[in-house]
Amino acid sequence: MESFRHQSTEYIEFELRELENVFALVLMGAFVGIPSPPTTLVIRLMPHMVREIKVMNQRAVDLDDVFAEVAGMFDID
């Protein structure tokens, strides 16, 4: 039971990190050429996105093989 709880928590934490990363990428996409929400909306949300920007930066630093990380989470060989 404890193992199941631990694994479930890891899945949820992984999904949260990915959603934060996607959210930051959608809002900051204009910097990399992805169509994004209006600039005024991005400017208003910017002060509230400190954590998401840190997550996005850390993901860029740690980025090695995202598909391998996902496959490892679900024990896919």
Side-chain angles (χ1 to χ4, degrees), residues 23 27 41-53:
F23 180 70
L27 285 180
L41 178 62
V42 173
I43 297 295
R44 285 182 180 179
L45 290 174
M46 189 76 81
H48 305 286
M49 294 188 52
V50 172
R51 185 173 186 278
E52 285 80 9
I53 292 171

Side-chain angles (χ1 to χ4, degrees), residues 7-9 12 18 25-26 29 32 39-40 46 62 65-66 68-70:
Q7 190 174 14
S8 298
T9 303
I12 292 170
E18 289 301 314
L25 185 60
V26 166
V32 292
T39 305
T40 55
M46 189 76 81
D62 296 340
D65 189 353
V66 175
E69 186 178 352
V70 171

